[in-house]
Amino acid sequence: MTSESASPVRVRFAPSPTGYLHVGGVRTAIFNWLFARHHKGSFVLRIDDTDVKRHIEEAVQVILDGMKWVGLDWDEGPGKEGAYGPYFQSQRMDLYREAAKKLEASGRAVWLKKERKGELPAWKIEKLKKAGKWDEELAKAQDDPRPALYFKLHQGDPAPIGFKDGVWGDYSVPPELLPDLVIMRADGTPTYNFASVVDDAAMKITHIVRGEDHLANTAKQIPIFEALGAPVPQFAHLPMIHNEKGQKISKRRDPVAVTLYQACGLLPEGVFNFLALLGWSPGDNREVLSKEELVASFGLDRINKSPAQFALKRKGDPAPDATDKERVQWLNASLPGSKIEWMSGEYLKRLSAGECLDAAKPFMKAAGYALEARDPEWLLGVVKLGQERARTLQQLADCVRLFFVAPTEYDEKAVAKFLKKKDGLSVLRTCRETLAGVDWHTEAIKAALEGLATQGELKFGAVAQPIRVALAGSAVSPPIHDTLFLLGKEESLRRMDAALEKCA
């Protein structure tokens, strides 16, 4: 598939406002955006909202907010009107009616009422859907007692419909999967395949880049383009996205809503980079690429036909009826060790301390940390320590908890290992007495602790770990001298005293 064309490249992303923004949809939007930017073309955002029964008003804003969060902008679309608007299908009904009349006048479309051949059982419908043989539009038309407008896909004897795809090469759909197509329902609303063609033609879309599940739709749509006398765009169909079990990602089983990843504190730049590499690569083993690098390298010729893998380190599966809060908790537990978490961490490292603090503040406030009364320089120091250990903003907020909340309980394993064994309590007591007389800055603290280790012929960890348990309630914290310094002398000594009393 080449991008050479007499007309400038124009691509579109056309989500339906029926719920959340799906990570698979965002991957499709990113590929379209990169293709448009690479060829200095236009990226159009169109809201396909003709299905009134499934339209959720709030979902439009969710789509817009999700795209902005991940870093996608559009040249034409909602809030950025252009020459081919409006960009909501619900506002373009006159165009569909006009195109339908044109097809009817030419004899390619006729109003028919097809009788039902008996109600299919639910299991049969599900089986047909899985096999890609269920025609939802035809089923709806047959449900309605009024006639619907059918488009004659074939002129003469039914035959396969083939086309050249930018990913799959020569592709054809057999005629038995291509019956005459409902294009206008009895209630006067257009079906997906018809409205999409009318809009793509009117908006002068040159390339349609979308999911592999639309291959059969493309075979249905090409004859409509031709019957309307419109240029047929070039098509490229992206591979499916599978989870780590090799299953197609599903909203019932997998965390597919972009808002979940945002709520976990993944860096949007990392999510963008990760999704851009789902099914495509620059071909030189690079993985962390800026948007500019992605734009410069992007081409449809490097899209892989094999399913792309979106792998998590999942702890079981979320419950089917899990709330969004429960899904976020499940996802936070399944991110560590995954590629998307690693990618987020790479971008987190690149932030300045100030940028990191600004990004982390919502997560820190949600955790109940009182930030307003804190010295700005102190906050920067705390966030910098968390930034070195975290890969998401939620992890960063968890990492710095000890600076805002003193432990009231202590991890039993840490207490047993570092306080109850090898004279840990005695070491902690000695450290407390020594630190009480130290001038409170990081180098003096570090020197005092190293001196105690040398004097007692101990490894540094044998000195640091008992203090860490006293300060954090666990065996994990940032470097101990930095932790002590930022907690302050008074608070550090108070926590050591509390641990000595409680764990003795």
Side-chain angles (χ1 to χ4, degrees):
M1 176 179 182
T2 66
S3 61
E4 303 302 324
S5 173
S7 302
V9 165
R10 287 178 60 80
V11 296
R12 49 68 163 182
F13 176 54
S16 298
T18 56
Y20 48 76
L21 184 60
H22 192 292
V23 289
V26 176
R27 194 272 299 258
T28 298
I30 287 173
F31 278 33
N32 276 279
W33 186 91
L34 290 172
F35 186 73
R37 296 291 175 262
H38 181 84
H39 293 285
K40 296 179 171 56
S42 297
F43 174 62
V44 179
L45 174 61
R46 185 177 76 223
I47 305 298
D48 285 5
D49 60 346
T50 57
D51 193 340
V52 178
K53 292 181 180 177
R54 297 177 63 215
H55 180 159
I56 303 171
E57 194 63 40
E58 297 79 8
V60 174
Q61 195 59 49
V62 169
I63 290 169
L64 302 183
D65 291 345
M67 291 186 67
K68 289 175 183 176
W69 175 76
V70 86
L72 287 168
D73 60 342
W74 46 95
D75 302 297
E76 301 171 28
K80 202 164 187 179
E81 298 303 315
Y84 302 101
Y87 296 94
F88 288 84
Q89 284 192 330
S90 57
Q91 299 171 15
R92 300 173 64 83
M93 291 296 176
D94 288 345
L95 286 173
Y96 311 137
R97 295 186 185 106
E98 182 181 343
K101 287 179 181 178
K102 181 177 179 179
L103 293 178
E104 190 179 0
S106 70
R108 286 299 297 274
V110 293
W111 289 94
L112 293 174
K113 172 66 183 89
K114 292 196 173 181
E115 296 298 326
R116 290 191 66 104
K117 296 180 180 179
E119 190 74 36
L120 290 176
W123 68 266
K124 180 68 173 178
I125 293 173
E126 190 63 28
K127 185 176 180 180
L128 289 170
K129 285 181 178 179
K130 287 181 178 179
K133 298 179 180 180
W134 175 254
D135 193 324
E136 188 72 31
E137 293 164 358
L138 185 60
K140 286 181 180 178
Q142 291 177 341
D143 256 342
D144 198 302
R146 297 166 293 177
L149 185 63
Y150 282 77
F151 176 74
K152 299 177 183 178
L153 273 176
H154 307 279
Q155 289 183 298
D157 294 334
I161 295 178
F163 55 93
K164 185 84 169 178
D165 188 78
V167 175
W168 300 88
D170 291 326
Y171 190 90
S172 67
V173 178
E176 57 266 26
L177 295 182
L178 297 170
D180 289 347
L181 185 69
V182 177
I183 58 175
M184 294 291 282
R185 303 183 186 94
D187 62 5
T189 60
T191 59
Y192 162 76
N193 279 307
F194 184 53
S196 186
V197 169
V198 173
D199 286 337
D200 290 337
M203 293 179 177
K204 301 189 183 302
I205 300 302
T206 61
H207 298 75
I208 295 176
V209 182
R210 58 189 179 185
E212 168 191 348
D213 52 331
H214 282 284
L215 278 164
N217 283 332
T218 296
K220 298 172 185 177
Q221 291 174 359
I222 287 174
I224 303 177
F225 278 107
E226 294 171 341
L228 290 173
V232 178
Q234 296 184 55
F235 291 89
H237 291 81
L238 309 179
M240 291 288 99
I241 300 176
H242 286 184
N243 63 20
E244 63 279 357
K245 298 178 182 178
Q247 303 163 318
K248 179 183 173 182
I249 58 172
S250 158
K251 65 182 181 181
R252 294 191 187 96
R253 180 183 54 243
D254 302 295
V256 297
V258 171
T259 50
L260 296 177
Y261 295 87
Q262 184 178 2
C264 286
L266 288 159
L267 273 291
E269 297 84 356
V271 174
F272 188 106
N273 194 159
F274 172 79
L275 292 176
L277 298 181
L278 276 185
W280 174 87
S281 77
D284 54 10
N285 295 320
R286 286 181 297 161
E287 291 189 297
V288 181
L289 298 98
S290 67
K291 281 186 182 178
E292 293 74 20
E293 290 171 318
L294 287 166
V295 167
S297 303
F298 191 79
L300 298 174
D301 57 327
R302 296 202 62 83
I303 294 176
N304 198 322
K305 294 180 184 178
S306 301
Q309 189 178 67
F310 192 151
L312 299 171
K313 300 294 182 180
R314 64 176 65 214
K315 314 295 182 184
D317 290 327
D321 59 347
T323 64
D324 284 348
K325 183 178 179 180
E326 290 169 337
R327 287 182 180 276
V328 170
Q329 291 172 341
W330 176 88
L331 182 55
N332 270 321
S334 300
L335 283 174
S338 67
K339 191 63 167 287
I340 192 171
E341 186 222 31
W342 173 81
M343 192 77 75
S344 174
E346 292 301 299
Y347 283 91
L348 185 60
K349 291 176 187 175
R350 299 182 180 194
L351 297 180
S352 69
E355 291 170 332
C356 193
L357 175 58
D358 288 341
K361 272 184 178 178
F363 294 87
M364 296 168 73
K365 288 180 178 179
Y369 307 159
L371 306 182
E372 291 73 14
R374 297 287 189 169
D375 176 73
E377 287 302 316
W378 182 85
L379 280 174
L380 288 175
V382 167
V383 164
K384 192 171 181 181
L385 285 184
Q387 185 179 6
E388 293 170 358
R389 300 174 56 230
R391 289 181 171 177
T392 73
L393 296 170
Q394 182 60 59
Q395 289 175 10
L396 190 152
D398 294 340
C399 282
V400 302
R401 178 178 176 79
L402 72 96
F403 294 103
F404 299 91
V405 181
T408 56
E409 300 293 334
Y410 300 86
D411 180 75
E412 292 182 4
K413 291 183 179 180
V415 169
K417 184 174 182 180
F418 299 113
L419 294 184
K420 298 290 181 71
K421 289 184 179 181
K422 297 181 180 179
D423 297 322
L425 284 169
S426 178
V427 171
L428 178 60
R429 191 173 291 109
T430 301
C431 290
R432 192 261 183 240
E433 292 169 358
T434 301
L435 289 170
V438 169
D439 185 18
W440 211 256
H441 58 80
T442 54
E443 290 307 315
I445 294 168
K446 186 176 182 181
L449 297 180
E450 288 175 345
L452 285 172
T454 301
Q455 181 181 343
E457 298 182 349
L458 300 170
K459 292 182 178 179
F460 187 76
V463 172
Q465 286 301 89
I467 301 174
R468 184 167 279 122
V469 175
L471 301 182
S474 71
V476 179
S477 82
I480 196 63
H481 51 283
D482 290 324
T483 302
L484 284 161
F485 172 72
L486 285 169
L487 271 177
K489 188 173 187 176
E490 181 181 346
E491 178 63 13
S492 296
L493 297 178
R494 189 195 69 75
R495 292 192 187 188
M496 284 188 272
D497 287 338
L500 286 166
E501 181 180 347
K502 188 159 187 175
C503 300

